[in-house]
Structure formats: structure tokens, C-alpha cells
Amino acid sequence: MPETRATPEKWSLGDLLAMQALQPLMPRYVPWTSWSMRPAALASVVNDVLLRDRRTVVELGAGSSTMVLARALALTGGSLVSVEHDAAFAAALDRQLHAAGLHERAVVRHVPLTALPAQETPAGSRRAPRRWYDLDALQAATPHGIDLLVVDGPPAGDLGHVLVREPAVRVLRHKLAASFSVYLDDADREPERETLAMWESQLGIPFTIVERLGLGMGSTDGGFAPTL
């Protein structure tokens, strides 16, 4: 079954209010597609960056969030590494960061999708992904001390019930800071719900799903402040 995305036609009033609130963080036109994180969900992540003074942010799946997070991190003195599997899209976004003067604050790294080694798949799971970000390239692209991890990729596409985003925490857990938050987009999908349950076990912290935002979140710092 194809993945259901929150297109602009399905945005709530909260998304429209969040989009207005995010405007000061959009230095120029930001590419916004049906694959983009909803504005209200993105605003919740920005809340975390600013209220918790995040300094080392990694996102899997680049897009409109990349430009907004880069500008937010310019306020905290932090930095962003955005991982994108599509080489042309990664290059286009990196050009936008340079044009906006944000290239010293954020970078888009192209990390292709490759076959996932069998030892990196969850034991006993029939729905483990067969392809994921190239592990060596991902390790080389991402820093240590990640205090905010946003997982919005790779895209599920027509993979149905495959746990396509589950490897993120297992692969990057050793790079997380002592205090951190993890966000998962599309948490209204059943595979992402199962992914969050697995992450709870892996990290030993509770995760919350905000249904109206389609956003899952866990933090060593407790709760967070979702937008309207």
C-alpha cells in the first residue's frame, strides 16, 4: 500500500499558524513538497532547538526542514548535518544553504541507499529494510555528540509495512550526546509506531506520539512543547 503523506490540502489550522510562525526562519523560498515534514511538526522540532539550546543536530532526509533548522541553529550557535540519499536534491539544497549564507552552519551530505548487512537488521523481524543509508558513508558524514536527531528518511514509498527508518537509532546511538531528543516523522503510520516501540527498548526512554502532528518524540530531558 502506498505511503500516505500529509499534503498541504490536509494541513490543519495549526499547520497554517506554524507556517506563519516559521517565516522568519525562511531566508528565501523553501522547497515544500508532499514529502516534507508538516509545518506544525517542524515548529515543534524548532521549539526543541531553541528551548534546549541544541548544538549538534542531524537529520535523515533533507528538505524544507533543512533550511529552517539551519536558521534556527544560527541563533543557538549550533550546526546541522542533513543526510540525503538523492544526489541531485542534496546538491540543490546545499546550493540554497550557500546562497542564504548558512553554509557554515549547515551542510547536506549525500549518502546513497545500499544493501543493509544482515547483522544490522533486527533479529526475528520479517519487516526489516533490505536497503538503507550506506553505513560507512553515514558514519563518515555524521558527528559525535548528537543532541537532536530528526528521522524523516529514507522515504517509505511503496514499501508498505517495512520498518524502513528503524535502523537510525541502532546505527547512530553511539554518537548521541548524554542529553538528547529524537524525532520521527510520519509516526501516524503503523511501521513508525512499531519503530518507536523498538527505540524505547534500545534507548531506555519513553516516546510520545502526537497524533495531530504525525510526530513521534523521545527525550532524555522529559516532555516537549508541541505547537498548535
Side-chain angles (χ1 to χ4, degrees), residues 12-207:
S12 67
L13 175 60
D15 286 305
L16 298 179
L17 293 173
M19 178 66 87
Q20 184 176 25
L22 290 170
Q23 284 301 315
L25 298 177
M26 297 179 183
R28 53 182 60 234
Y29 174 75
V30 176
W32 213 290
T33 73
S34 62
W35 297 98
S36 299
M37 182 179 289
R38 288 174 55 182
L42 178 55
S44 296
V45 178
V46 171
N47 285 355
D48 195 313
V49 169
L50 298 179
L51 294 176
R52 289 174 170 156
D53 194 29
R54 299 305 189 190
R55 298 302 181 93
T56 305
V57 178
V58 169
E59 68 168 347
L60 304 183
S64 53
S65 56
T66 305
M67 301 296 293
V68 173
L69 288 173
R71 179 57 67 89
L73 286 161
L75 301 176
T76 68
S79 62
L80 168 69
V81 173
S82 181
V83 173
E84 173 57 39
H85 75 282
D86 185 292
F89 191 52
L93 278 176
D94 211 44
R95 288 195 297 269
Q96 287 227 345
L97 289 172
H98 276 76
L102 294 169
H103 57 285
E104 294 184 356
R105 192 63 54 193
V107 63
V108 182
R109 299 294 189 196
H110 170 234
V111 178
L113 301 180
T114 61
L116 189 65
Q119 64 269 26
E120 293 295 338
T121 61
S125 176
R126 295 181 179 179
R127 299 197 290 164
R130 297 293 178 261
R131 288 168 55 82
W132 202 66
Y133 298 109
D134 180 86
L135 296 181
D136 291 337
L138 182 66
Q139 295 296 343
T142 53
H144 285 273
I146 300 168
D147 55 15
L148 197 155
L149 175 63
V150 182
V151 183
D152 192 22
D158 59 356
L159 295 179
H161 295 292
V162 174
L163 306 178
V164 69
R165 295 174 182 170
E166 185 278 330
V169 162
R170 286 187 295 106
V171 171
L172 295 176
R173 178 171 52 184
H174 70 290
K175 290 192 170 186
L176 294 175
S179 172
F180 64 84
S181 294
V182 177
Y183 287 86
L184 178 64
D185 195 24
D186 305 312
D188 48 347
R189 296 178 64 249
E190 192 279 330
E192 273 60 49
R193 291 176 183 271
E194 184 173 340
T195 292
L196 290 174
M198 297 173 76
W199 288 358
E200 282 191 345
S201 176
Q202 293 165 15
L203 293 175
I205 61 174
F207 276 81

Side-chain angles (χ1 to χ4, degrees), residues 52 181 217-224:
R52 289 174 170 156
S181 294
M217 180 269 182
S219 177
T220 58
D221 302 312
F224 73 125

